[in-house]
Amino acid sequence: MSADLRTEKPAGRLRRMLDRLSTSQEDLHSAELQEDTQATGCTSISECSDRQIVKVTGTLRTVTLRPRAGVPALEAELFDGTAPLDVVWLGRRSIVGIEPGRKLIASGRISLSHGRRVLFNPKYELRPLGQE
């Protein structure tokens, strides 16, 4: 009976190791981002609804300059492991530290535009580079 317990234990370890190896890098990164959201006390982007005041965190995936109604606008896609959020700073061509791969916390009122969640001119806090 004790021999059976010893053989089951390594199988459990092996199974966990195989599961970890077979999980994609993207899935692992998403899980890390979701844990970070919970640890910082922020709301998951997937849970945000229209006109809700939120505090969210995640990693910037893209940053682009795209004019809106003739006004320069810096747009970034924030991802927290659950859903993307477009973050838009109107009247800005660039902001120091706002770059792909950077983690930040943003707060403001969510709106829906063309079926996507958008946060205009949010208050934001850049996360220290050492925490990445």
Side-chain angles (χ1 to χ4, degrees), residues 57-71:
T57 188
T59 301
L60 296 175
R61 289 206 268 189
T62 61
V63 178
T64 57
L65 178 62
R66 182 173 298 136
R68 285 181 173 249
V71 176

Side-chain angles (χ1 to χ4, degrees), residues 1 4 13 19 36 40 46 57 65 76 81 85 108-109 120:
M1 190 164 177
D4 290 337
R13 287 184 198 144
D19 287 346
D36 191 40
T40 56
S46 62
T57 188
L65 178 62
L85 169 70
R109 188 177 300 272
F120 287 100

